[in-house]
Amino acid sequence: MQLNGLLKKLPLSALGQLLRIFRFSTRMYEQIQVEYYARLADHSADSPDEEDDIPTEELQPVFVLSTGRCGTKTLAALADLLPDADSHHEPDPKLLEASYLYWMQLCPDAPDVFWQGLLAEGRDELIQQAVRKDKVYFETNNRLALLCRLLIIRYPKAKFIHLVRHPYDFVRSGMRRDYYNDHPWDFVRITPRPDDPIAEGWDSCSQLKKCAWLWTATNAHIDDFFCSIPENRRLFMRSENIFNNVGDSVEKVLSFIADGKNLPNAGKREKVLGMKLNLQTYGNFPKSGDWSPEERKMLQHYCGVLMKKYGYDF
């Protein structure tokens, strides 16, 4: 019997068990996952909704899109000061494998109902819980950047924040954490797709170059997505302006999340900013001022166009 035929005969609970068993066996995992979420979507459609649930197309969550390592935990804590927001940094499921498979286009035959089932299982209930509490759902998980085009289909009234950090600082953080070398999440860290010019020589690229590519690829993807959504449902923000409380940056982002209602006072904001959440304290790699001319030139080559667009110094 073909594998797909066998999977269709298994109960939903058994498919869930197989997902956990085969999560590191990519091809097997893909086939099980496609069947699981397709079935889950059908199951959800047949199940009665909660009395106070509203249709997904009417939900209005706020999602942060980013590379990660740019203050998302701090931003989640700032949003937690809003009485009208239900703030999350990296809720479960974290969507690690899902976002990787989707962005890398490793499931070309997966039907739309598969991806809708994935988001239905992963986020619908969390967002509905916020609505039941009369709050806006807010999430800063960096994996959302890879799923942004799915999110806007399922939640067409959602709002998005593009949070970006200077590439020198992001790359240094990635180097200190050993991205593309020995980091525990490297199995779901994106790499160039075959149509990317860097793909052919990827294995011989330095770790520094790989981290620079990651910054540009992720932000370019978000940039392209932002062009497709209305201006009143998108906000660009440099993380340095939040960390340093520059001008009205913090108030601007909190106002965007909560539609300008019940904003926390300056003292509460400064207390959160002073906590320096998720500050990196391990790993060794020099600050950009101590990089070699070749390293700086390479970063500028891969990141320069977006650096200039975002107003960053070289």
Side-chain angles (χ1 to χ4, degrees):
M1 179 183 291
Q2 293 284 337
L3 177 60
N4 286 341
L6 175 62
L7 294 177
K8 290 183 183 299
K9 293 181 178 294
L10 294 177
L12 188 63
S13 59
L15 287 169
Q17 291 285 348
L18 286 175
L19 276 181
R20 287 185 283 276
I21 294 170
F22 289 105
R23 63 178 296 185
F24 296 109
S25 178
T26 305
R27 184 61 192 156
M28 179 74 77
Y29 182 84
E30 285 178 36
Q31 291 179 268
I32 297 170
Q33 197 177 40
V34 168
E35 178 62 28
Y36 177 75
Y37 283 115
R39 189 95 61 82
L40 187 66
D42 292 338
H43 177 76
S44 299
D46 295 336
S47 301
D49 293 333
E50 295 275 349
E51 281 186 16
D52 50 358
D53 279 358
I54 64 174
T56 55
E57 60 267 21
E58 296 299 320
L59 295 171
Q60 300 180 53
V62 181
F63 299 116
V64 175
L65 310 178
S66 78
T67 59
R69 302 308 305 155
C70 58
T72 51
K73 192 168 186 177
T74 294
L75 185 51
L78 285 168
D80 203 36
L81 297 174
L82 295 165
D84 301 313
D86 186 15
S87 181
H88 301 261
H89 175 46
E90 292 179 349
D92 290 322
K94 290 183 171 60
L95 303 174
L96 297 174
E97 296 95 338
S99 58
Y100 174 78
L101 291 173
Y102 181 73
W103 194 91
M104 294 294 295
Q105 300 176 358
L106 294 177
C107 296
D109 299 324
D112 290 344
V113 69
F114 160 62
W115 298 112
Q116 291 303 312
L118 185 152
L119 286 179
E121 170 73 358
R123 288 299 180 267
D124 277 10
E125 179 58 23
L126 284 172
I127 299 172
Q128 293 284 4
Q129 286 176 5
V131 172
R132 292 175 204 140
K133 295 183 287 187
D134 199 26
K135 295 187 176 187
V136 61
Y137 179 83
F138 180 70
E139 182 177 341
T140 65
N141 179 6
N142 70 81
R143 306 302 296 195
L144 299 178
L146 307 179
L147 295 168
C148 56
R149 296 195 179 281
L150 285 178
L151 292 170
I152 197 64
I153 292 172
R154 186 154 192 86
Y155 314 112
K157 292 189 176 181
K159 297 198 298 186
F160 297 86
I161 298 170
H162 181 186
L163 187 65
V164 65
R165 185 183 185 186
H166 197 297
Y168 290 179
D169 296 322
F170 169 80
V171 167
R172 178 173 183 256
S173 181
M175 295 296 291
R176 293 175 70 192
R177 286 178 168 246
D178 239 0
Y179 283 7
Y180 295 111
N181 188 35
D182 195 27
H183 192 277
W185 284 10
D186 277 346
F187 77 101
V188 286
R189 200 172 311 285
I190 63 171
T191 56
R193 295 189 290 244
D195 60 346
D196 192 317
I198 199 177
E200 187 174 350
W202 178 254
D203 290 342
S204 62
C205 287
S206 68
Q207 187 184 1
L208 192 74
K209 184 182 291 188
K210 290 179 178 180
C211 290
W213 174 87
L214 177 62
W215 184 88
T216 295
T218 306
N219 284 305
H221 179 69
I222 300 169
D223 253 11
D224 186 59
F225 169 70
F226 258 41
C227 293
S228 69
I229 60 176
E231 188 173 350
N232 65 341
R233 290 199 282 120
R234 67 190 193 209
L235 176 68
F236 173 83
M237 183 62 61
R238 299 199 317 185
S239 64
E240 294 85 359
N241 290 350
I242 294 176
F243 292 152
N244 300 319
N245 203 9
V246 175
D248 63 350
S249 296
V250 175
E251 182 169 350
K252 186 176 182 179
V253 73
L254 292 178
S255 183
F256 181 80
I257 297 166
D259 291 329
K261 298 182 298 182
N262 302 319
L263 302 184
N265 62 42
K268 291 181 178 179
R269 301 177 204 171
E270 290 168 3
K271 184 176 181 180
V272 169
L273 292 171
M275 294 169 69
K276 299 187 182 300
L277 298 171
N278 213 18
L279 178 68
Q280 189 163 336
T281 58
Y282 63 90
N284 295 311
F285 195 76
K287 294 183 178 181
S288 59
D290 296 320
W291 291 356
S292 70
E294 291 76 19
E295 288 172 329
R296 294 177 69 88
K297 185 176 180 179
M298 186 274 293
L299 262 289
Q300 291 163 12
H301 173 74
Y302 281 98
C303 306
V305 172
L306 289 182
M307 286 176 67
K308 184 176 181 180
K309 179 176 181 178
Y310 300 154
Y312 283 126
D313 294 332
F314 285 78

